[in-house]
Amino acid sequence: MSIKKIGIVIAIERELEAFLKSNYEIEELDNKTFKCFRATINGNDVYAIKSGWGLIDASMATQYLITKYGVEIVLNFGVTGALDPTLKVSDLFYVSKCVNFDFDTSTIDNVVKHQYGDMEDVFIPLDAGLIDMVKSIYPEIKEAVDASGDLFIDKKADKEARFNAGCNICDMEIAAIARVCLLNNVKCLSIKCISDEYDGDGSDFEKNVRESADKAFKLIDKILNHAL
């Protein structure tokens, strides 16, 4: 079996803790821009990077893993906000597709709002093969369509606008990660866990972020150990 190089993009320290407290022998790499770590998991080289909040930092971190370490698969895990009132804290999802909700060149290009000119529609797909693998490991997992942007979403009007665009969760990174992977022909998978519900005002994020991140990482851990 050939050794794979796998990257994990993690947005913030409170999510990164789930990876760092695992039982793996983790080496912190010398990096002046990002916190970056290496571990051997199931015989594969795994590189984890803390990107920071938002699309710009997430895209930088993803490209860094691809360029510096030659990763062929990029995994993302973390917490997410609910746009659907029926979703609850600790609900676990795979992201099937995502949209950069803040992107709009429709006034000057032959596209609709949120659509990149080289895409068939507004949504950026994640890897179907990796998604099928996740569903075989954890059949009860739910599907999510994610609205990404550089705004922490805690207002009802912002939630409704993204829900009406066909999304049921929101975050600040996965559209950038998925877009960079697509352009580099690298497989991408994202596992998200609800930390703040539709009726929340943002305070529930801080209350639930670590527990929800732990749950998302546990599934990533299973994927790393049994499927890749």
Side-chain angles (χ1 to χ4, degrees), residues 2-224:
S2 61
I3 296 173
K4 295 184 179 69
K5 293 185 176 181
I6 302 166
I8 307 177
V9 179
I10 307 160
I12 61 174
E13 190 76 28
R14 284 156 288 182
E15 296 168 323
L16 176 64
E17 290 171 6
F19 173 75
L20 294 181
K21 70 184 183 183
S22 64
N23 293 322
Y24 302 114
E25 186 174 332
I26 298 172
E27 171 192 6
E28 184 165 5
L29 302 174
D30 185 17
N31 185 306
K32 295 180 180 178
T33 306
F34 300 101
K35 276 191 175 182
C36 195
F37 306 86
R38 182 190 176 279
T40 299
I41 301 176
N42 195 27
N44 296 317
D45 293 331
V46 177
Y47 298 90
I49 194 166
K50 188 188 82 167
S51 65
W53 295 100
L55 299 178
I56 293 174
D57 287 4
S59 63
M60 287 177 59
T62 306
Q63 189 63 58
Y64 183 87
L65 289 180
I66 294 169
T67 303
K68 175 72 173 178
Y69 300 114
V71 301
E72 55 202 287
I73 297 170
V74 170
L75 308 177
N76 164 251
F77 77 89
V79 302
T80 187
L83 303 177
D84 182 336
T86 67
L87 303 183
K88 302 300 180 185
V89 168
S90 83
D91 284 351
L92 198 62
F93 300 86
Y94 68 87
V95 178
S96 60
K97 56 187 179 180
C98 54
V99 60
N100 180 351
F101 193 81
D102 299 326
F103 187 80
D104 186 5
T105 62
S106 60
T107 58
I108 55 172
D109 288 333
N110 186 28
V111 293
V112 298
K113 188 176 181 180
H114 316 308
Q115 182 183 5
Y116 287 93
D118 59 346
M119 301 290 294
E120 293 183 358
D121 61 25
V122 302
F123 293 108
I124 305 165
L126 281 78
D127 187 76
L130 292 176
I131 289 170
D132 286 343
M133 176 195 65
V134 170
K135 291 192 287 187
S136 71
I137 295 171
Y138 193 80
E140 60 268 40
I141 195 167
K142 301 177 181 180
E143 177 183 3
V145 179
D146 190 294
S148 282
D150 285 318
L151 176 69
F152 185 89
I153 306 301
D154 59 352
K155 296 180 175 60
K156 290 283 181 67
D158 292 326
K159 294 176 183 180
E160 289 171 359
R162 287 156 180 77
F163 183 74
N164 291 336
C167 302
N168 58 347
I169 65 171
C170 59
D171 83 332
M172 298 177 66
E173 291 82 31
I174 189 53
I177 297 167
R179 172 80 175 159
V180 170
C181 286
L182 188 66
L183 294 175
N184 283 275
N185 196 30
V186 168
K187 296 179 179 180
C188 182
L189 174 73
S190 180
I191 302 297
K192 297 291 190 181
C193 189
I194 296 290
S195 59
D196 37 312
E197 297 181 357
Y198 176 82
D199 289 326
D201 59 2
S203 61
D204 48 345
F205 165 83
E206 194 60 48
K207 176 183 176 182
N208 299 311
V209 56
R210 286 179 172 84
E211 184 176 347
S212 293
D214 283 348
K215 185 170 182 178
F217 177 70
K218 284 178 182 176
L219 181 52
I220 288 288
D221 194 26
K222 286 183 180 180
I223 293 165
L224 290 169

